[in-house]
Amino acid sequence: MRSRTRSPGRGRPRNDRGAPGVEAAQQCTYACASTLERRVMKIGIIGAGNIGGNLTRRLTALGHDVSVANSRGPETLAALAEETGAAAVRAEEAARGAEVVVVTVPLKAVPNLPAGLLGGAAPDVAVIDTGNYYPRERDGRIAGIEDEGITESRWTERQIGHAVIKAFNGTYAQDILDRHHPAGDPDRQAVPVSGDDEAAKRVVRALIDELGFDTVDNGGIDDSWRQQPGTPVYGLRGDVAEVRKALAEASTERPENFRG
């Protein structure tokens, strides 16, 4: 997510089914994921823009084994690799053996990711999707999202053939470096997290906690419209209570300016 002086005001995706179960889902914060022990993981990051680059910096600083890739080739990531100690690789190699894979590329680029991208990943790999749909500004019209009314992350799942956990899509990239806090700190921000794979969600929420943020469970991927651009939680630097409130106030209506 690119930095702005105020919370972004982008579109609310269409979802005519409402928000089944969201109130119950929001009752669970990071405490639900805290049983996982801290351990070094192999992590692949596909996309080295603002979010991908800063996740590379933080995750390597925490001691994880990180591989990072972009669309231009590993030679263009030499400076990031030297700075962080991450391995700069081709996109088709980033997920090899990975327990967590972060897909953080423009939505229009998702169909161009290498076929079989996750074929060499760990069998229970957790895939984090940080993507957002900006039809007029960047991505053009995506028929699956516009015509079927599916969420951005459901569409991404279809492209890569794997369930995803939506997180960090509404987080300012610089906050990943500057605004992390230990558990219990009153200034700690919360991140909404959506996904259908509960085991993968626990892994992702534990990793986000390690990065220095609380989490709020926003339910499944069909509920992830509540954290898409233009919703109250998008760009919100809030705690758990504020994030829960913002998720509950989300509308299913996508503003005219953000329809493709």
Side-chain angles (χ1 to χ4, degrees), residues 2-260:
R2 289 169 294 177
S3 179
R4 292 174 172 81
T5 57
R6 60 183 178 86
S7 295
R10 288 180 170 150
R12 296 182 182 95
R14 193 180 297 113
N15 185 328
D16 296 332
R17 285 175 290 183
V22 71
E23 182 176 353
Q26 289 170 5
Q27 299 309 307
C28 181
T29 60
Y30 173 72
C32 299
S34 61
T35 57
L36 290 179
E37 293 183 3
R38 197 273 187 223
R39 61 186 177 85
V40 173
M41 289 193 292
K42 185 169 177 55
I43 299 173
I45 298 179
I46 300 169
N50 294 332
I51 291 285
N54 285 350
L55 283 174
T56 299
R57 292 178 176 94
R58 286 286 291 130
L59 290 167
T60 52
L62 290 167
H64 293 291
D65 179 4
V66 178
S67 296
V68 61
N70 65 10
S71 61
R72 295 175 296 148
E75 64 278 1
T76 66
L77 296 172
L80 181 62
E82 183 176 359
E83 174 193 347
T84 63
V89 299
R90 293 189 297 272
E92 56 268 29
E93 299 171 336
R96 190 170 298 163
E99 299 162 88
V100 174
V101 171
V102 183
V103 177
T104 180
V105 300
L107 218 65
K108 66 179 181 180
V110 170
N112 299 324
L113 291 172
L117 178 70
L118 301 169
D124 55 352
V125 61
V127 180
I128 300 174
D129 168 33
T130 76
N132 292 305
Y133 176 44
Y134 305 133
R136 299 191 181 188
E137 181 178 318
R138 183 190 66 193
D139 297 313
R141 188 179 192 277
I142 295 178
I145 295 173
E146 298 285 355
D147 299 340
E148 297 180 50
I150 63 173
T151 63
E152 300 163 1
S153 289
R154 182 67 75 194
W155 180 84
T156 295
E157 286 185 340
R158 293 181 181 180
Q159 308 310 306
I160 67 173
H162 197 282
V164 304
I165 306 298
K166 190 176 189 72
F168 284 122
N169 71 293
T171 303
Y172 292 102
Q174 194 62 32
D175 288 356
I176 294 170
L177 298 183
D178 296 344
R179 296 176 71 93
H180 53 89
H181 294 280
D185 190 305
D187 293 327
R188 205 179 210 219
Q189 294 178 204
V191 175
V193 177
S194 303
D196 298 332
D197 184 332
E198 292 300 324
K201 190 187 289 184
R202 286 193 296 273
V203 170
V204 171
R205 295 179 72 188
L207 188 62
I208 292 172
D209 175 78
E210 188 183 346
L211 284 163
F213 300 87
D214 286 330
T215 59
V216 175
D217 191 334
N218 184 45
I221 284 298
D222 288 337
D223 298 313
S224 65
W225 57 269
R226 290 181 176 271
Q227 64 190 83
Q228 292 177 160
T231 59
V233 82
Y234 183 76
L236 177 67
R237 287 169 165 151
D239 61 16
V240 166
E242 291 169 320
V243 168
R244 284 178 177 165
K245 182 175 184 290
L247 290 169
E249 291 173 348
S251 168
T252 60
E253 184 64 26
R254 187 199 300 272
E256 177 67 26
N257 288 345
F258 298 99
R259 298 175 189 169

